[in-house]
Amino acid sequence: MARIQDVAEKAGVGVATVSRMLNGSGYVSAASRAKIQAAMDELNYTPNELARNLYHKRTGIIAVVVPTIAHPFYAEFVNCAEMEIHRRGFKTMLCNASSGYAEELEYLDMLNRHIVDGVISGTHTMDTEAYNKIKKPIVSLDRYLGEDIPLVAVDHVKGGRLAAQALLQSGCRRVLHFRGETTVEAPYHDRHFEFSRIMRENGVEVYDYELAWNRFDVEYHQQVVDDVFSSGLEFDGVFGVDQLAAICMNELLRRGRRIPEDVKLVGYDGTYISRLSRIPMTTVVQPIDALARESVRLILDCMAGKQAKNERVMLDVSLRQGETTLPV
Amino acid sequence: MARIQDVAEKAGVGVATVSRMLNGSGYVSAASRAKIQAAMDELNYTPNELARNLYHKRTGIIAVVVPTIAHPFYAEFVNCAEMEIHRRGFKTMLCNASSGYAEELEYLDMLNRHIVDGVISGTHTMDTEAYNKIKKPIVSLDRYLGEDIPLVAVDHVKGGRLAAQALLQSGCRRVLHFRGETTVEAPYHDRHFEFSRIMRENGVEVYDYELAWNRFDVEYHQQVVDDVFSSGLEFDGVFGVDQLAAICMNELLRRGRRIPEDVKLVGYDGTYISRLSRIPMTTVVQPIDALARESVRLILDCMAGKQAKNERVMLDVSLRQGETTLPV
């Protein structure tokens, strides 16, 4: 394989000149540029990106850390983020942090070790200290990581309100409410507070079911649904993320309950699960592509040294009416 | 931030000694090791991975290139691959190549540019020349890329047979068969040949619908289904990938057709779509986790210089009986 020395020799210039051109690190005359380019083409020379990155102290790689892309919300988010990162000339390192905190710290450490230039983190860590100690580009997806770390999330208060209204207008009196683990500090809890507040204000009984930390897989959601039904709980409304709501729907139908006549359901996220489910689901739609684009914009700003510390991007949500609630 | 020089000075050894220890590239006495470790701890020194990688001519990163993780089969594959790659001490670069060939070449070029050590490719390129010119570690998922490139796929002949049998035993006489674009050379075509062969042998009419190249999104699949129904085609059986079969199911139900009484459906892949669909789907299950594990095993073998060129791993498939065909 051709080396930089070979290129310099063939072009009749010094190695330092070739290096300046490759790294964009100083003046190279148009004539020399043309000769170097011709020599590189002829020798089929490919610059060693590792060496170049060492010079620039950057890798061109952005890590996207999520609990698991087996969950459709994160699959769609990472898909959109990867496309946007690519469009902006960078590459995506994918990190599933579902097995816990040690893994997450390891990914964070990649910033220190110059493996990645920035991290977009959508994990559900309970310890934010590590995120705050590290003074490198980090953007948070829907999670309070610290004062200095920019955040992208949706308006979950509105999300909770839309879900509550859909179930109230359908006449629900006793609702099952699947909510996230409460020790994680995150914007998404707002939807749960708002949902419960409005329901209780309207005299509706709310059964809160708190989900286990960091579990997003179909198997766990199936366990949760089995648990609910074996408890003998009676309810006429359900609110939870699309995947969980879809599994709940299947179990209700299996038991001969009619939807929406006997039980109403409202999902959250607006993933394709809500469109492919046994009955098209009424759901609160998060703009996943916009969440991804904004996350990428912010991390690139951070990497460019722009002051983005206090940025809190809050995107709008909307209700998509399906057939699991009564028509408004 | 501490530099290697600072560590050497504090430990009372030379920079070369510290470098040998960090790179594992030569003898360092136990006493020196202890002193260096203590100095690194005290100074909170983190080795620059970029520099270390340049030394070792490796990056520790494996690229996984798929059309799009918005499609559940690829989301599950990449999810499993990432976990296995992490377990083996490497990192995953995610590459969606849905926008086409230029993007795919770019990812391949990362091998030349020392950005990644190996590539697992599940794309649907029509040009395999580039893959064969590059003499670097590549493993193919379900695609004929060349003699020298190891391949992981399932037994699609059996997959096609299982689907055909399920529809035959349910009494289908006119089936709609969604098949992949035919110019791509890939093992997965075997299921289509085998399916059509068995159906026609049994006097069943088969309507082949050839899908567009490299399109796996819900929107495209919805278009395809709209196209089929607006053509006025009459059929009593459907065979296609889970996502497409699920969208087809929804359209049939919307039009008041009964499943499985009027129309039978068999999916392919065994993704969670087949379990969350409006009616639990009979589907041919690919062992996605095993496909991922075998792909990772092979790429690591290639990276370690082991002779894996002629490896052709073929994994078993099975039929999961749902409620979209008649019980056997």
Side-chain angles (χ1 to χ4, degrees):
Chain A
M1 208 165 101
R3 299 164 311 148
I4 191 168
Q5 288 86 345
D6 304 325
V7 173
E9 194 176 315
K10 185 166 276 293
V13 300
V15 169
T17 310
V18 180
S19 171
R20 279 204 305 281
M21 173 164 152
L22 290 175
N23 290 311
S25 58
Y27 176 75
V28 180
S29 73
S32 297
R33 278 180 187 280
K35 282 189 285 184
I36 293 168
Q37 190 59 56
M40 289 200 300
D41 291 348
E42 198 173 326
L43 294 167
N44 199 15
Y45 172 76
T46 317
N48 185 329
E49 200 91 356
L50 275 173
R52 198 139 50 129
N53 286 339
L54 185 60
Y55 179 89
H56 286 296
K57 292 195 172 56
R58 63 164 197 87
T59 64
I61 301 173
I62 295 168
V64 181
V65 192
V66 295
T68 170
I69 61 161
H71 188 277
F73 174 80
Y74 293 113
E76 292 186 28
F77 176 82
V78 173
N79 191 55
C80 295
E82 193 275 345
M83 287 193 288
E84 182 67 6
I85 287 169
H86 179 261
R87 199 180 68 76
R88 305 287 291 261
F90 289 79
K91 303 205 156 38
T92 301
M93 182 168 288
L94 170 66
C95 314
N96 284 312
S98 58
S99 36
Y101 186 53
E103 219 164 20
E104 199 174 334
L105 281 187
E106 183 189 322
Y107 292 128
L108 212 51
D109 194 43
M110 293 194 301
L111 282 169
N112 276 327
R113 286 153 65 214
H114 302 274
I115 299 176
V116 299
D117 295 337
V119 169
I120 297 172
S121 177
T123 61
H124 288 219
T125 180
M126 288 193 255
D127 181 352
T128 56
E129 202 187 325
Y131 284 89
N132 284 287
K133 253 172 48 189
I134 189 169
K135 300 296 177 200
K136 302 261 181 166
I138 300 174
V139 167
S140 163
L141 168 69
D142 208 4
R143 175 84 180 85
Y144 296 120
L145 289 176
E147 284 283 300
D148 290 351
I149 297 175
L151 168 72
V152 180
V154 300
D155 182 351
H156 288 293
V157 174
K158 181 176 172 186
R161 190 171 67 238
L162 290 174
Q165 285 167 349
L167 291 177
L168 281 173
Q169 283 161 2
S170 297
C172 291
R173 304 306 303 158
R174 313 172 81 184
V175 301
L176 172 60
H177 172 217
F178 293 112
R179 56 165 306 153
E181 209 269 351
T182 45
T183 57
V184 180
E185 290 177 26
Y188 60 79
H189 290 307
D190 290 351
R191 72 170 182 259
H192 299 303
F193 294 130
E194 186 68 0
F195 177 81
S196 296
R197 190 187 66 72
I198 296 177
M199 293 312 257
R200 293 197 168 110
E201 235 177 54
N202 284 273
V204 174
E205 270 188 84
V206 180
Y207 307 110
D208 284 320
Y209 190 107
E210 188 168 323
L211 299 168
W213 176 70
N214 216 18
R215 291 292 302 270
F216 301 91
D217 47 302
V218 172
E219 290 66 32
Y220 172 65
H221 284 166
Q222 184 65 58
Q223 270 174 38
V224 165
V225 168
D226 292 346
D227 186 30
V228 164
F229 281 90
S230 69
S231 77
L233 191 69
E234 287 293 325
F235 51 89
D236 58 11
V238 177
F239 176 42
V241 292
D242 291 347
Q243 183 171 292
L244 191 45
I247 293 171
C248 207
M249 178 194 299
N250 287 355
E251 188 60 28
L252 285 163
L253 295 173
R254 211 181 63 75
R255 290 167 179 258
R257 308 297 297 275
R258 293 168 309 162
I259 297 169
E261 295 83 351
D262 302 333
V263 184
K264 285 82 181 160
L265 289 110
V266 173
Y268 205 88
D269 286 350
T271 59
Y272 54 80
I273 294 282
S274 62
R275 287 186 284 174
L276 298 183
S277 57
R278 295 182 69 169
I279 299 173
M281 202 187 294
T282 299
T283 190
V284 177
V285 181
Q286 298 201 52
I288 301 179
D289 53 344
L291 283 170
R293 278 198 310 274
E294 285 296 297
S295 302
V296 174
R297 179 185 67 77
L298 275 176
I299 197 70
L300 291 176
D301 279 357
C302 292
M303 283 157 52
K306 286 187 198 153
Q307 182 58 274
K309 280 188 178 181
N310 300 314
E311 274 213 53
R312 294 281 181 274
V313 176
M314 194 197 274
L315 300 171
D316 197 20
V317 292
S318 59
L319 190 82
R320 185 163 62 218
Q321 181 76 41
E323 299 167 21
T324 57
T325 52
L326 300 186
V328 184
Chain B
M1 208 166 102
R3 298 163 311 147
I4 191 168
Q5 289 85 344
D6 304 324
V7 174
E9 193 176 316
K10 187 166 275 292
V13 300
V15 169
T17 311
V18 179
S19 172
R20 281 205 305 282
M21 173 163 153
L22 290 175
N23 290 311
S25 58
Y27 176 75
V28 180
S29 73
S32 297
R33 280 181 185 279
K35 281 188 286 183
I36 293 168
Q37 191 58 58
M40 289 200 301
D41 291 348
E42 197 172 327
L43 293 168
N44 198 16
Y45 171 77
T46 318
N48 185 328
E49 200 91 355
L50 275 174
R52 198 138 50 128
N53 287 340
L54 185 61
Y55 180 89
H56 285 296
K57 293 194 173 51
R58 65 167 195 85
T59 64
I61 301 173
I62 295 169
V64 181
V65 191
V66 295
T68 170
I69 61 161
H71 188 277
F73 174 81
Y74 293 112
E76 291 185 28
F77 176 82
V78 172
N79 192 55
C80 294
E82 193 275 346
M83 287 193 288
E84 182 67 7
I85 288 169
H86 180 261
R87 200 181 66 79
R88 305 286 290 261
F90 289 80
K91 305 207 155 34
T92 302
M93 182 168 288
L94 170 67
C95 314
N96 284 313
S98 57
S99 35
Y101 186 53
E103 219 162 21
E104 200 175 333
L105 281 186
E106 183 189 323
Y107 291 129
L108 212 51
D109 194 42
M110 292 194 303
L111 282 168
N112 274 328
R113 287 153 65 215
H114 302 276
I115 299 175
V116 299
D117 295 337
V119 170
I120 297 172
S121 177
T123 61
H124 287 220
T125 182
M126 289 192 257
D127 181 351
T128 55
E129 203 188 323
Y131 284 90
N132 284 288
K133 253 171 50 187
I134 190 169
K135 300 296 176 202
K136 301 262 181 165
I138 300 174
V139 167
S140 164
L141 169 69
D142 208 2
R143 174 85 181 82
Y144 296 120
L145 288 177
E147 283 283 301
D148 290 351
I149 296 174
L151 168 73
V152 180
V154 301
D155 183 351
H156 288 293
V157 174
K158 180 174 173 186
R161 191 170 68 239
L162 290 174
Q165 286 168 348
L167 291 177
L168 281 174
Q169 284 161 2
S170 297
C172 292
R173 305 304 304 157
R174 314 173 80 184
V175 301
L176 171 61
H177 172 216
F178 292 112
R179 55 165 307 155
E181 209 269 351
T182 45
T183 58
V184 180
E185 291 177 25
Y188 59 79
H189 291 307
D190 290 351
R191 72 170 181 258
H192 299 302
F193 294 130
E194 185 69 359
F195 177 80
S196 295
R197 191 187 66 71
I198 295 178
M199 293 313 256
R200 294 196 168 111
E201 236 178 53
N202 284 273
V204 175
E205 271 188 82
V206 180
Y207 307 110
D208 283 320
Y209 189 107
E210 189 169 321
L211 300 167
W213 176 71
N214 216 19
R215 291 292 302 270
F216 301 91
D217 46 302
V218 171
E219 290 67 30
Y220 172 65
H221 284 165
Q222 184 65 57
Q223 269 174 37
V224 166
V225 168
D226 292 347
D227 186 30
V228 164
F229 282 91
S230 67
S231 77
L233 191 71
E234 287 293 324
F235 51 89
D236 58 10
V238 176
F239 175 43
V241 292
D242 290 348
Q243 184 170 291
L244 190 46
I247 293 172
C248 207
M249 178 194 300
N250 287 355
E251 189 58 29
L252 285 162
L253 295 173
R254 211 181 63 76
R255 289 167 180 260
R257 308 296 298 274
R258 293 168 307 162
I259 298 169
E261 295 82 353
D262 303 332
V263 184
K264 285 81 181 159
L265 289 111
V266 174
Y268 205 87
D269 286 351
T271 59
Y272 54 80
I273 294 282
S274 62
R275 287 186 284 175
L276 298 184
S277 57
R278 294 181 71 169
I279 300 172
M281 202 188 295
T282 299
T283 192
V284 177
V285 180
Q286 297 201 53
I288 301 179
D289 54 342
L291 283 170
R293 276 199 311 273
E294 285 297 297
S295 302
V296 174
R297 180 185 66 77
L298 274 175
I299 197 70
L300 292 176
D301 279 358
C302 292
M303 283 157 50
K306 286 187 199 155
Q307 182 57 272
K309 281 188 179 181
N310 300 314
E311 273 213 53
R312 294 281 180 273
V313 176
M314 194 197 272
L315 300 171
D316 197 20
V317 291
S318 59
L319 189 83
R320 185 164 61 218
Q321 181 75 41
E323 297 166 23
T324 57
T325 51
L326 300 186
V328 184

